[in-house]
Amino acid sequence: TYYLAFFLLTGLLLGVVIWTSFRLLVLNRLEYLNKQIGDISSKQDYTKRITMKENDELSSVAKQFNQMMKTIQSSHKQLEQQIQELSRSENRLENTNHQLTNEISERKQAQEKIAILHSKLVLSARRAGMADIASGVLHNVGNILNSVTTSLSLTKERNEQSKADKLIKIADHLKSNEAHLDKFLSDNENYQKILSYLLMLSQSWHDDNLYISKELIRLEKNISHIKNVVTMQQSLTKMIGMTEEVSIPDLIEDALMLNKTLYENHKIKVIRQFDFQEKIVTDRVKLLQILVNLLKNSIESLIESKKDLKQLNIYVHRLEDDNEYFEIKVTDNGIGITAENISKVFTSGFTTKSDGHGLGLHTSAIFAQDMHGQILVESEGYNLGASFSVILPVSPTQKDENSDDLAEEKQR
């Protein structure tokens, strides 16, 4: 009997210690991290940073998040400067082109200016693309932290509903009968009641532990996802301007991962068909930014549509009419593109979104040209979906001499 009483008191004390430690070491810090990121996201103040003194996984996530915010802040500032410079440069270019119709000697000078402007435009477009991906990463992290907050709330609610604290009542009841405990327990009715009650509490305690363990596993997966997204963003900043051997299906999966929470939360079905499996040598960062922009646009189009079945199709295949090129085709059944807008989608500054900046598709078109390829768009009209095709050479030495022919043939 004394062993039973000792076991109950010890179990209760151990449970309280475990929960208190878990609350102090994990839950409080996760709630703090979520609140800080929520404040930054709601206020859009890129100058704020998260401070965590401990040296562990959560502190590492906070440091990586701070580094990402620093990159976003720097990219945002540089982007504004580049856009202003680009606007001024475009005005100067228009005046120069007007003078070129009369003076051939000035044409050479204008061509040199065009080359300089193009390099600035490419740099501005690259930074815009990096800022767009960084913004997408921040949005992704915010979505994941919503899941973290949900898990925390569910765990807290389950703990508040736990019946483990009723062990105290049994212990108090046994203690109140301590003087005649042998006689009290010898009563078969009392013994059966206590035993039945303990079995019920044990089962409840077991169920609570299983539930909390399940939520902890979910928390671990979400934190791992945050780390993977941040790590990918860091790897992109180290590989600008580099060409390497790339697996197109793997790159598409990376682009999908950056948009994973967005399409999963809205139950968008993603269908993959990768007929082209060869590796190519190209600028991985540029191609990834193109894919992220196209996938994000398609997902947002599907979210805006009122259709019950939201479907995103991704095809990769070699062109039948020109075997030296391959095509990545992203098709959705979203809101589509109207006839008057389809010719403007790649224009700098054009957007139909209230919070858009009109640089995503323009940047993607420039990057495709840099890689000796092109992007084509098709849509039957409003609410009839849209399709974007990225056409790139299989060989890294393939030039874009036939780009116009490819565009005409594709349109036919």
Side-chain angles (χ1 to χ4, degrees):
T1 300
Y2 286 116
Y3 275 115
L4 177 60
F6 177 75
F7 169 76
L8 292 175
L9 292 175
T10 303
L12 176 63
L13 180 61
L14 182 60
V16 172
V17 170
I18 291 175
W19 169 248
T20 303
S21 302
F22 174 71
R23 180 72 188 178
L24 292 175
L25 297 178
V26 179
L27 296 183
N28 287 347
R29 299 183 61 215
L30 281 173
E31 290 175 352
Y32 171 76
L33 180 62
N34 180 56
K35 183 178 181 301
Q36 290 290 312
I37 294 180
D39 291 342
I40 293 174
S41 177
S42 61
K43 298 178 181 177
Q44 294 186 350
D45 186 357
Y46 301 136
T47 61
K48 287 188 176 182
R49 301 292 183 266
I50 299 175
T51 57
M52 297 189 79
K53 298 180 180 180
E54 294 79 0
N55 186 17
D56 55 16
E57 293 292 332
L58 288 177
S59 299
S60 176
V61 170
K63 291 178 181 178
Q64 292 175 349
F65 181 83
N66 289 338
Q67 184 64 33
M68 183 181 68
M69 292 300 300
K70 183 178 179 182
T71 302
I72 293 175
Q73 182 181 1
S74 175
S75 298
H76 184 71
K77 182 177 179 181
Q78 292 175 358
L79 177 60
E80 290 180 344
Q81 295 174 350
Q82 289 296 326
I83 290 176
Q84 293 175 358
E85 176 64 24
L86 179 59
S87 178
R88 292 192 293 267
S89 298
E90 287 178 346
N91 292 332
R92 291 196 298 269
L93 181 58
E94 289 180 2
N95 295 330
T96 302
N97 285 333
H98 181 71
Q99 296 175 0
L100 283 175
T101 58
N102 299 321
E103 299 181 18
I104 298 178
S105 59
E106 294 181 4
R107 185 179 298 274
K108 294 182 180 179
Q109 297 177 2
Q111 288 175 344
E112 294 176 357
K113 291 181 180 180
I114 290 173
I116 295 174
L117 290 175
H118 179 72
S119 64
K120 289 183 178 180
L121 182 61
V122 171
L123 179 60
S124 176
R126 182 184 292 275
R127 288 174 176 170
M130 292 299 295
D132 196 44
I133 286 186
S135 177
V137 169
L138 181 60
H139 181 73
N140 242 332
V141 171
N143 287 335
I144 300 171
L145 286 176
N146 287 336
S147 299
V148 171
T149 303
T150 301
S151 293
L152 287 173
S153 299
L154 292 174
T155 303
K156 183 179 179 180
E157 181 180 353
R158 187 61 176 257
N159 180 69
E160 291 173 352
Q161 297 175 353
S162 175
K163 298 180 176 61
D165 57 345
K166 297 186 182 298
L167 286 171
I168 297 177
K169 293 183 179 181
I170 295 182
D172 292 340
H173 192 59
L174 292 175
K175 189 173 182 180
S176 63
N177 292 276
E178 184 176 5
H180 49 280
L181 191 59
D182 292 341
K183 182 179 179 181
F184 178 77
L185 291 178
S186 63
D187 188 331
N188 187 59
E189 183 178 356
N190 291 337
Y191 178 78
Q192 292 297 329
K193 286 181 179 179
I194 292 178
L195 182 59
S196 176
Y197 196 64
L198 286 176
L199 290 174
M200 184 270 291
L201 288 180
S202 298
Q203 183 61 42
S204 175
W205 197 357
H206 177 71
D207 293 342
D208 289 343
N209 284 336
L210 289 179
Y211 183 86
I212 292 175
S213 298
K214 181 180 177 181
E215 292 300 324
L216 287 177
I217 293 173
R218 185 178 300 174
L219 283 172
E220 184 179 11
K221 288 181 178 179
N222 284 327
I223 293 174
S224 177
H225 190 190
I226 292 175
K227 290 177 64 179
N228 291 336
V229 170
V230 173
T231 300
M232 178 176 291
Q233 171 65 13
Q234 289 177 329
S235 67
L236 291 179
T237 60
K238 298 176 182 178
M239 297 172 61
I240 295 177
M242 294 177 57
T243 59
E244 59 179 302
E245 192 175 58
V246 174
S247 169
I248 300 301
D250 290 346
L251 198 62
I252 292 174
E253 294 299 336
D254 289 342
L256 283 171
M257 191 193 78
L258 291 173
N259 291 286
K260 183 176 182 180
T261 54
L262 192 60
Y263 70 77
E264 283 187 347
N265 289 342
H266 292 86
K267 298 180 180 179
I268 296 173
K269 184 178 180 180
V270 179
I271 298 178
R272 304 163 175 83
Q273 184 175 334
F274 301 149
D275 296 332
F276 180 77
Q277 299 281 346
E278 300 177 24
K279 290 186 177 182
I280 66 168
V281 177
T282 188
D283 189 326
R284 180 179 184 275
V285 176
K286 286 183 179 179
L287 185 51
L288 180 60
Q289 288 181 12
I290 292 174
L291 294 173
V292 169
N293 282 331
L294 297 184
L295 291 173
K296 183 179 178 183
N297 285 344
S298 291
I299 292 171
E300 290 176 348
S301 172
L302 289 166
I303 293 173
E304 189 175 346
S305 72
K306 305 300 182 182
K307 298 178 181 178
D308 295 331
L309 177 61
K310 303 179 189 293
Q311 187 166 303
L312 175 63
N313 297 277
I314 308 170
Y315 306 101
V316 183
H317 63 95
R318 191 187 287 265
L319 293 183
E320 296 179 359
D321 53 348
D322 192 337
N323 209 34
E324 295 180 342
Y325 287 83
F326 72 96
E327 177 185 31
I328 304 173
K329 192 170 186 178
V330 179
T331 303
D332 64 76
N333 62 338
I335 59 172
I337 306 172
T338 59
E340 60 269 22
N341 288 337
I342 199 166
S343 61
K344 306 175 185 177
V345 293
F346 297 113
T347 305
S348 177
F350 175 78
T351 180
T352 57
K353 304 173 186 176
S354 59
D355 58 346
H357 48 62
L359 289 175
L361 289 177
H362 178 65
T363 301
S364 299
I366 292 176
F367 286 169
Q369 291 177 1
D370 290 343
M371 293 185 287
H372 311 300
Q374 61 181 323
I375 301 179
L376 304 175
V377 58
E378 297 175 351
S379 179
E380 297 295 329
Y382 180 75
N383 208 32
L384 295 175
S387 176
F388 285 86
S389 296
V390 183
I391 300 177
L392 295 172
V394 175
S395 171
T397 59
Q398 179 70 35
K399 302 300 181 182
D400 56 346
E401 300 171 348
N402 302 321
S403 293
D404 294 336
D405 296 337
L406 274 173
E408 293 176 1
E409 181 66 24
K410 185 65 179 178
Q411 289 170 359
R412 288 198 295 269

